[in-house]
Amino acid sequence: MAIYNLNINGRSAEVDVDPATPLLWVLRDHLKLVGTKFGCGISQCGACTVHIGDGAVRSCQVPVSAVGSQEVTTIEGLSEHGDHPVQQAWLEVDVYQCGYCQAGQIMQASALLKNNPDPSDEEIQAAMNGNICRCGTYTRIRKAIKLAAEKAQNA
């Protein structure tokens, strides 16, 4: 076991865990941030997507020992009141069906827009590839990302 001082959603969090523990389980089991979901455990579905720095990562495959002092943002920390442009667009477009994958989808989409504020359909497809939605809401996801990009540009 080792003690890690993490920066999660702008707050300091200390955990005493095995260095190989995936960040996903530190978030869910130790810090009770359960918005980040377990999907496949092998970095293939995207349900566990969080931000480390400005990039989207699959937290099921990132050992806590690799996080260091980098800021980690989960769905709970994306915005204080659920008013991030991506979250607003998700609601307006009514993307959700079962909702299980949506936190990961939102985190992937918000990282895309942070790094590319006006993505083409092809850039959206490339960035979102690998975030699986069993309900098949891909058309609405793409529409919501476009709407979020417009909202962010007009803000």
Side-chain angles (χ1 to χ4, degrees):
M1 300 298 244
I3 295 176
Y4 293 94
N5 291 304
L6 303 172
N7 180 354
I8 310 288
N9 298 329
R11 295 188 176 114
S12 180
E14 184 177 279
V15 294
D16 186 5
V17 296
D18 184 291
T21 304
L23 178 59
L24 171 65
W25 299 118
V26 170
L27 295 170
R28 290 184 60 80
D29 293 347
H30 297 273
L31 301 176
K32 307 303 180 200
L33 295 169
V34 296
T36 303
K37 304 298 185 204
F38 171 76
C40 66
I42 58 172
S43 194
Q44 296 297 304
C45 72
C48 67
T49 302
V50 300
H51 298 170
I52 296 182
D54 287 338
V57 300
R58 306 296 201 262
S59 63
C60 70
Q61 292 295 300
V62 176
V64 69
S65 60
V67 174
S69 63
Q70 299 176 86
E71 182 170 352
V72 176
T73 305
T74 68
I75 190 70
E76 292 92 345
L78 189 60
S79 66
E80 188 174 345
H81 301 289
D83 56 359
H84 186 281
V86 174
Q87 291 169 309
Q88 290 178 337
W90 242 247
L91 292 172
E92 286 182 39
V93 175
D94 198 24
V95 172
Y96 295 97
Q97 279 191 354
C98 82
Y100 195 83
C101 70
Q102 296 306 310
Q105 300 275 2
I106 288 169
M107 295 306 288
Q108 185 72 38
S110 62
L112 165 65
L113 294 178
K114 187 171 192 171
N115 295 304
N116 181 354
D118 188 24
S120 66
D121 286 341
E122 293 78 20
E123 291 167 325
I124 292 171
Q125 178 68 29
M128 299 304 291
N129 188 33
N131 279 75
I132 297 171
C133 174
R134 291 187 286 173
C135 299
T137 63
Y138 300 112
T139 302
R140 292 190 301 226
I141 289 169
R142 188 170 40 255
K143 184 177 178 182
I145 292 170
K146 290 291 217 181
L147 178 60
E150 290 173 24
K151 285 180 172 297
Q153 291 174 3
N154 293 330

